[in-house]
Amino acid sequence: MDSTTNPVAPAEGKSPAQQGRAYLEQAQEMMAQPAVRRALPAIILVVVAVFGLVVYMMLAQPKRLSLYTDLPEADKARAVEVLTGGGIDAIIDQSTGALRVTEADYHKARMMLATEGLPAGTPDGISTLNDMPMGASRSVEAARLRRMHELDLARSITEFSNVTSARVHLALPEQTAFIRDTKPPRASVFVQVAPGRALDDGQVSAIVSLVSTSVPGMTRANVSVVDQTGRLLSRESNDPLSALSTQQLGHRKQMETHYRQRIEALLSPIVGAGNVAAEVTVDMDFTRSEITAEQYMPNGSVIRSEQKMTQQNNTQQARGIPGAVSNTPPQETQLVENGPTSFAGGQIENNTENSTRNYEVSRRVETKQPSSAQIVRIHAAVLLRTPAGTMAEDGSLVPGALPESVMKDAEALVRSAIGFQGRRGDTVTLSAQPFIDTFSEVSMPWYKEAWVMDTARYGAQIAVLAIVVLGLVKPIVDRLLFSPAAPASPLGMGAPIGGAPGGLGDVIEVGPGETLAEVRARLDGFEPVGNPWSHVSYEEKLALIRDLTHSDGDRIATAFKSMIEEDSSQLK
């Protein structure tokens, strides 16, 4: 039998209803083909399986929430990479372009992106100029320029390693011709600091300098920097002692961290990583003093200067006749060399001698300035983790303990790490206790647990599939396989097999080598036993013999001949 059908070409001039009726008849003829009828159950099963798979995928798709809707493309690509690497199913919504994750991973995804400093995108300031309309007024142009300046400054500030995002607000007064009415420009900077990090004074000063030097006429005092906690970072104190105290506290914390790291580095190889906890307190003296000492040494002296003065006066005694003549000196011609002098009598001498000697006494001047950061005392507390306990015979837990030798070695290492000095008053406290690994969590109602929602969703999926299979697939398959129109009787009697004239009979499968009588017996509702022709009527037997006589007469003659021979042999 030819299982193919010729397509019905729609005739010209037919109405759409007639064309549709023609296509419907063509489809019915195709469905009436035996090959199509045999393949129809498989086709229906495949279609239903695909439909059930689609429904299952739709129901199994978890609920998704939007993380960010206006992320720049660079940040969006980086966010997808970070979330995918962290094991979170992240997708990009095709209609809105939003980054979406499952409801269970929503908060985890936000924390993961915050750890990586996302979103970190800052719009470029030049985009405000590109979008400026033609014929804009001067006020609009000035506002756009100020906005561009703010965006560029914010983009520069976000380049700092500890800053995830920033916003800059500039207050630029209008220019005036009167100097007395001129107001200085001001700026406010809001920075989003990365979690677990902080901006030190140097970085804050750099931000202030960056903003103040970018705007003409702006001073550092007119720039304010605020973080996300509302703390003013750019507060400049006029008290130098306040700034010095901050530096001293930072130096103290640095020393304590240094000692703690040394202790953990020494004890971790002995007790294992994560099994040691150490805290160090350092008392430091930041008093600044200057000592000047001057010392005289009397035994060590040298002559610095010496002055000596001698004075001597010689006088003669007066002689002769009083009068002017007698007191006049003689003439030169009357003087005789080496002759007797005109003086007589004794001489009067007057001597005066003065002597001054200056000595320099040795001395030493010494100026001492002790260090401004002196360690006064160190207190170290170290906690070691004891091994897991053992179960006693009575069922109680016996806590473990570290060996005494390990405790002594650990204490000696701690003393060496901090430079222990007993005269200074240093102390070391070493203890071994079990660590608590688990903490009690806040219990929530059972119906809010995640497994309850998952179980309900899976149960709904199974129920939908059961309804589709049992309510739709099974009836269709049963109707196609077991309830089609009954074929005509092979006996040529015009009546259907089973004795239901003109009606629909039951359809059964015919096995290999099964006779017509056996098929008829099964149609009657019982299994054939003994003679399979006992359930065939006499008229049907005659009709079958007539058909065989016309179709295969030779076989009938041979069969009768063998029967006659058997009868004749039995009579003999």
Side-chain angles (χ1 to χ4, degrees):
M1 182 182 293
D2 189 8
S3 61
T4 61
T5 58
N6 296 324
V8 179
E12 296 182 358
K14 290 185 178 181
S15 62
Q18 294 176 350
Q19 295 178 4
R21 189 179 301 107
Y23 285 116
L24 181 60
E25 292 176 356
Q26 180 182 358
Q28 290 177 352
E29 291 178 0
M30 184 181 296
M31 295 296 296
Q33 297 296 328
V36 176
R37 292 178 63 85
R38 287 195 298 268
L40 187 60
I43 297 174
I44 294 176
L45 287 177
V46 171
V47 172
V48 172
V50 172
F51 176 75
L53 183 61
V54 172
V55 173
Y56 176 79
M57 293 179 63
M58 293 178 60
L59 294 177
Q61 190 70 17
K63 183 180 180 181
R64 292 185 177 272
L65 300 176
S66 298
L67 277 178
Y68 301 102
T69 57
D70 54 352
L71 274 179
E73 298 301 327
D75 290 348
K76 192 180 298 183
R78 186 182 173 193
V80 172
E81 182 180 358
V82 170
L83 294 177
T84 305
I88 296 178
D89 183 15
I91 62 173
I92 303 296
D93 194 347
Q94 300 297 330
S95 59
T96 61
L99 181 61
R100 298 174 65 85
V101 296
T102 59
E103 185 178 9
D105 297 333
Y106 178 76
H107 298 286
K108 182 180 178 181
R110 291 186 66 91
M111 290 187 292
M112 186 177 296
L113 293 180
T115 304
E116 296 294 331
L118 293 174
T122 302
D124 192 1
I126 198 65
S127 60
T128 59
L129 295 181
N130 296 333
D131 300 336
M132 184 179 295
M134 296 293 295
S137 62
R138 293 191 60 185
S139 60
V140 174
E141 182 180 356
R144 288 293 185 96
L145 292 175
R146 185 178 68 252
R147 180 58 179 167
M148 181 196 70
H149 204 174
E150 293 174 351
L151 293 177
D152 288 341
L153 286 174
R155 191 178 183 89
S156 300
I157 293 173
T158 52
E159 297 297 330
F160 285 82
S161 59
N162 295 340
V163 178
T164 58
S165 63
R167 291 197 300 270
V168 179
H169 306 280
L170 298 178
L172 304 178
E174 297 182 358
Q175 299 293 333
T176 178
F178 300 97
I179 299 177
R180 67 179 63 181
D181 296 336
T182 303
K183 297 181 180 180
R186 300 178 182 273
S188 300
V189 182
F190 176 82
V191 293
Q192 182 82 19
V193 184
R197 301 183 182 180
L199 293 177
D200 55 15
D201 295 338
Q203 292 175 330
V204 175
S205 179
I207 293 175
V208 173
S209 298
L210 177 65
V211 176
S212 61
T213 55
S214 300
V215 181
M218 183 176 293
T219 60
R220 292 175 56 90
N222 292 334
V223 180
S224 301
V225 181
V226 184
D227 62 359
Q228 71 269 23
T229 61
R231 187 165 57 97
L232 182 62
L233 303 179
S234 60
R235 181 176 59 251
E236 297 183 357
S237 177
N238 297 326
D239 187 8
L241 296 179
S242 177
L244 185 61
S245 299
T246 303
Q247 296 178 359
Q248 293 173 357
L249 180 60
H251 180 67
R252 177 180 174 181
K253 293 177 64 177
Q254 183 179 2
M255 292 296 296
E256 293 176 350
T257 303
H258 176 66
Y259 282 129
R260 183 175 64 253
Q261 291 177 352
R262 293 176 64 179
I263 293 174
E264 292 178 352
L266 286 174
L267 297 183
S268 293
I270 299 176
V271 297
N275 295 330
V276 56
E279 289 294 336
V280 179
T281 303
V282 179
D283 295 338
M284 305 188 71
D285 185 10
F286 296 96
T287 302
R288 303 185 63 178
S289 61
E290 184 176 351
I291 301 174
T292 303
E294 185 176 1
Q295 184 178 4
Y296 292 90
M297 295 178 293
N299 295 330
S301 61
V302 294
I303 297 176
R304 182 178 183 182
S305 63
E306 184 177 3
Q307 183 180 4
K308 186 176 183 182
M309 184 181 63
T310 303
Q311 183 177 4
Q312 183 177 3
N313 294 327
N314 294 327
T315 59
Q316 297 182 353
Q317 188 175 4
R319 296 177 63 184
I321 301 172
V325 179
S326 61
N327 292 331
T328 59
Q331 297 180 0
E332 184 178 358
T333 59
Q334 296 177 355
L335 294 176
V336 181
E337 185 179 359
N338 296 330
T341 62
S342 61
F343 296 96
Q347 296 181 355
I348 302 174
E349 297 180 359
N350 187 9
N351 296 329
T352 303
E353 183 176 354
N354 294 327
S355 178
T356 303
R357 181 176 296 176
N358 295 325
Y359 291 90
E360 185 69 27
V361 179
S362 298
R363 67 171 183 171
R364 184 177 63 181
V365 179
E366 183 180 2
T367 302
K368 294 182 179 181
Q369 187 175 359
S371 176
S372 60
Q374 294 182 351
I375 297 177
V376 179
R377 193 176 295 103
I378 300 178
H379 304 279
V382 182
L383 179 62
L384 303 179
R385 183 175 188 173
T386 58
T390 58
M391 297 298 297
E393 296 180 355
D394 56 354
S396 60
L397 181 63
V398 179
L402 292 175
E404 188 66 24
S405 59
V406 175
M407 298 295 293
K408 290 182 179 180
D409 293 342
E411 185 175 1
L413 291 174
V414 172
R415 288 173 178 265
S416 300
I418 65 175
F420 181 83
Q421 295 182 9
R423 56 182 177 82
R424 194 172 54 188
D426 298 347
T427 59
V428 174
T429 303
L430 184 64
S431 177
Q433 296 293 334
F435 288 6
I436 298 177
D437 295 331
T438 58
F439 296 91
S440 58
E441 299 180 356
V442 179
S443 59
M444 60 175 56
W446 63 271
Y447 54 85
K448 292 185 178 181
E449 296 288 344
W451 65 269
V452 176
M453 302 300 297
D454 296 340
T455 304
R457 184 169 64 252
Y458 294 147
Q461 296 171 6
I462 294 173
V464 170
L465 290 177
I467 292 174
V468 171
V469 172
L470 299 179
L472 181 62
V473 178
K474 188 176 183 300
I476 294 176
V477 174
D478 292 343
R479 184 174 182 83
L480 292 175
L481 294 180
F482 304 108
S483 300
S489 174
L491 302 178
M493 299 302 293
I497 299 176
L504 297 178
D506 296 332
V507 177
I508 62 173
E509 295 183 359
V510 179
E514 192 172 10
T515 62
L516 180 60
E518 295 175 349
V519 174
R520 181 61 180 273
R522 288 200 292 118
L523 285 175
D524 292 340
F526 52 85
E527 293 295 332
V529 292
N531 186 9
W533 294 95
S534 59
H535 300 282
V536 181
S537 61
Y538 179 74
E539 291 78 6
E540 291 175 351
K541 293 178 182 179
L542 291 178
L544 180 59
I545 292 173
R546 292 192 188 97
D547 292 338
L548 291 176
T549 303
H550 292 292
S551 62
D552 199 356
D554 296 337
R555 293 181 62 185
I556 295 297
T558 304
F560 277 110
K561 184 178 180 179
S562 61
M563 292 173 61
I564 293 171
E565 291 177 354
E566 289 179 0
D567 293 339
S568 61
S569 62
Q570 290 178 0
L571 292 176
K572 291 180 179 179

